Amino acid sequence: MIDLTTTTALDVARRVNARQLSAVEVTKAALEQIQRLDDSLNAFITVTDAQALDAAEAVDRAIKGGKTFPLAGVPLAVKDSFHTAGVRTTAGSKALADFVPKDDANAVARLKAAGCVLVGKSSMHEFAYGFTSQNAHFGDCKNPWDSTRIPGGSSGGNAVALATGMALAALGGDTGGSIRMPAALCGVVGLKVTYGRVSRHGGIPLSWSMDTVGPMTRTVADAAALLGVLAGHDPKDPASSQLPVPEGLNPLVGNAKGVRIGIPHQHFLETMEPDVANAIEAALQVLKDAGATLIDVPFPSIDPVRGAHRAIIFSEASAAHEPLIRDQAQGAKLSDEVRSSFVAGFFITATQYLAAQQARRRIIAEYRNLWNRFDVLVTPTTPIVATPIGATTVTLNGEEHPLVRAFLDHTLPFNLTGQPGLSVPCGFSKTGLPIGLQLVGRPFDELLLLRVGAAFEAATDWHKKTPPVARRPVG
């Protein structure tokens, strides 16, 4: 039986295409890992056992007939906010517990056509409106490195599934850090794409002007291969870009030589847990040794970003789900946390929303000028490691901070500006919890981020670490 904790999506695809391994074998290995671990970790809301085996058999038949697939037989977890034909899509809420879409989301359809096998719909924060993946309806998703701690959110189930070999590829959504943060807290790779790079059609929205769809994987090369499948114009998504998919994603060549790395001490590096600070310092040295040039850069205040992001996301989330919120029977099915957030959006005036969008344009222009000085910005993905389930605050530098600020302030600025961001594993705390390194680039320059990320990965082995709970028992 193949061990999915020690292989990659690309390696599986190569072996399945070469008929050295069958898609059915790989799918059974994933389903067995889910059966063994998911009761304790709660990575999935729905497991698609029968459909997965049928899909795997179809991939094997096609390969026997002479066809090949870029992601042949790769077990896929899909965040439960994306439509999946014939499989319920709950968005982590009892309000949608019985919703079964007729069609796949564009991104899901592309991954299936590339040979991926859907093994389940992954756990998430209700309506993606949170960062912990604690869920009052379907149970809390738990970090595989320490099950008393959060995996991050809202795409938490994806990160748990990848870290433990329950899947080798995952489809997530990122509106404020929902791909990058759980990737960092669980020790996997997460790519937030440029706004418009991947179609959002068939995804249950949170914020139409900041939602992005992207891959989560165990390696940077796998993330690049998934992006090559996912990217491209979709007429059903009006924000979908017509720019061509970049060449060089598969096979991906890591290279950091001559890349100017911006280091923003202000805001991003001022307040971190000591273990995170040590890991980031070591990671910067790795990039320097790989040929990058390190440049200290002043960074503007985060305060305008916080205000604009909050006003926009609250307004747009409430507008997107207004019929559900105002329906007394359906609204009663929402958790108190999410209902209060939805209702809060109704109190933001049109004037405040427009002012936030005007501030956003100024911030985008300001950030664009910053990138004239460097090519890639490097920050911690989060300044802290995974926190205990139920915690609401954290102490940094002797001061108590709301958990939402500690976790999201490093990621949400780039949802506001629409820029791409990549989180890669870069170390562990003394307590054995993963730490993530965030690389941020210019709009539509995902290829550079992935090349730098792959160069970092080639010089380290953090991405090869596996939670003890994921390892198969001997005998």
Side-chain angles (χ1 to χ4, degrees):
M1 176 69 70
I2 184 172
D3 184 353
L4 297 184
T5 66
T6 59
T7 189
T8 68
L10 283 175
D11 186 54
V12 162
R14 177 186 59 79
R15 294 170 65 188
V16 171
N17 279 321
R19 297 177 64 181
Q20 298 169 351
L21 189 65
S22 73
V24 169
E25 288 177 86
V26 178
T27 301
K28 285 181 177 178
L31 292 174
E32 286 184 13
Q33 195 76 330
I34 292 171
Q35 184 178 29
R36 188 171 73 85
L37 297 175
D38 200 45
D39 282 349
S40 59
L41 296 177
N42 204 28
F44 289 94
I45 291 175
T46 301
V47 179
T48 54
D49 307 62
Q51 298 97 319
L53 289 170
D54 287 346
E57 288 173 358
V59 169
D60 286 335
R61 284 195 302 271
I63 289 172
K64 287 178 183 177
K67 189 171 182 179
T68 60
F69 300 89
L71 298 170
V74 172
L76 172 71
V78 170
K79 185 177 183 178
D80 206 24
S81 56
F82 295 102
H83 290 195
T84 42
V87 178
R88 71 171 180 167
T89 298
T90 71
S93 178
K94 281 293 176 69
L96 297 180
D98 300 319
F99 172 51
V100 180
K102 295 180 180 179
D103 301 300
D104 285 324
N106 179 278
V108 173
R110 286 178 181 239
L111 291 171
K112 285 184 177 180
C116 282
V117 174
L118 174 67
V119 294
K121 304 298 293 295
S122 54
S123 299
M124 58 180 288
H125 212 103
E126 185 180 13
F127 280 103
Y129 217 160
F131 58 93
T132 66
S133 294
Q134 294 171 221
N135 190 295
H137 307 296
F138 298 102
D140 298 338
C141 187
K142 298 172 183 178
N143 194 304
W145 294 93
D146 179 347
S147 62
T148 68
R149 294 175 182 261
I150 64 169
S154 58
S155 308
N158 281 344
V160 175
L162 291 167
T164 55
M166 291 189 264
L168 286 180
L171 183 70
D174 193 313
T175 307
S178 291
I179 284 175
R180 291 159 290 163
M181 186 177 72
L185 299 190
C186 294
V188 299
V189 173
L191 175 64
K192 177 239 178 267
V193 301
T194 306
Y195 180 78
R197 174 64 89 183
V198 175
S199 172
R200 303 162 304 163
H201 177 70
I204 295 172
L206 179 62
S207 170
W208 67 267
S209 71
M210 287 188 287
D211 287 345
T212 59
V213 179
M216 299 173 71
T217 56
R218 290 179 62 85
T219 69
V220 175
D222 283 355
L226 262 70
L227 178 62
V229 168
L230 291 167
H233 178 64
D234 175 13
K236 293 183 179 179
D237 179 358
S240 175
S241 172
Q242 304 226 20
L243 288 175
V245 179
E247 296 181 2
L249 290 172
N250 189 13
L252 179 72
V253 178
N255 188 3
K257 291 180 180 178
V259 176
R260 298 174 300 167
I261 300 290
I263 307 170
H265 289 279
Q266 186 177 356
H267 170 62
F268 289 100
L269 301 184
E270 287 175 334
T271 307
M272 295 180 285
E273 289 180 335
D275 289 349
V276 175
N278 292 336
I280 296 303
E281 183 178 358
L284 290 171
Q285 185 61 50
V286 169
L287 290 171
K288 184 177 180 180
D289 292 344
T293 301
L294 307 185
I295 303 170
D296 288 337
V297 296
F299 214 81
S301 170
I302 194 69
D303 291 336
V305 172
R306 288 173 180 157
H309 186 276
R310 180 180 175 85
I312 292 168
I313 195 172
F314 269 63
S315 299
E316 293 181 357
S318 299
H321 299 289
E322 183 174 7
L324 183 151
I325 302 162
R326 295 197 186 280
D327 182 301
Q328 189 170 2
Q330 287 294 90
K333 296 178 183 178
L334 298 170
S335 67
D336 292 342
E337 174 203 12
V338 169
R339 186 188 305 107
S340 63
S341 294
F342 277 144
V343 171
F346 293 143
F347 292 92
I348 295 173
T349 67
T351 301
Q352 291 170 323
Y353 176 77
L354 292 173
Q357 291 287 13
Q358 290 173 334
R360 181 185 199 172
R361 285 194 289 273
R362 292 192 296 270
I363 292 165
I364 289 172
E366 190 172 21
Y367 279 32
R368 186 183 300 121
N369 289 333
L370 283 174
W371 257 261
N372 291 331
R373 310 177 196 177
F374 53 85
D375 304 307
V376 173
L377 189 77
V378 169
T379 79
T381 308
T382 64
I384 59 177
V385 294
T387 50
I389 293 171
T392 57
T393 62
V394 64
T395 300
L396 285 170
N397 293 357
E399 295 182 4
E400 192 172 52
H401 297 260
L403 216 54
V404 64
R405 293 275 63 86
F407 273 129
L408 296 182
D409 276 358
H410 286 197
T411 54
L412 65 81
F414 310 109
N415 294 92
L416 195 72
T417 62
Q419 294 171 254
L422 175 70
S423 181
V424 296
C426 73
F428 284 82
S429 69
K430 291 184 178 68
T431 55
L433 296 170
I435 297 166
L437 178 74
Q438 179 178 225
L439 311 174
V440 183
R442 299 181 184 90
F444 297 100
D445 203 4
E446 288 90 353
L447 182 58
L448 179 60
L449 294 185
L450 291 161
R451 283 177 170 166
V452 174
F456 177 81
E457 202 173 70
T460 61
D461 63 357
W462 302 117
H463 61 289
K464 297 179 181 178
K465 306 296 184 183
T466 303
V469 70
R471 297 166 197 158
R472 289 183 175 276
V474 177

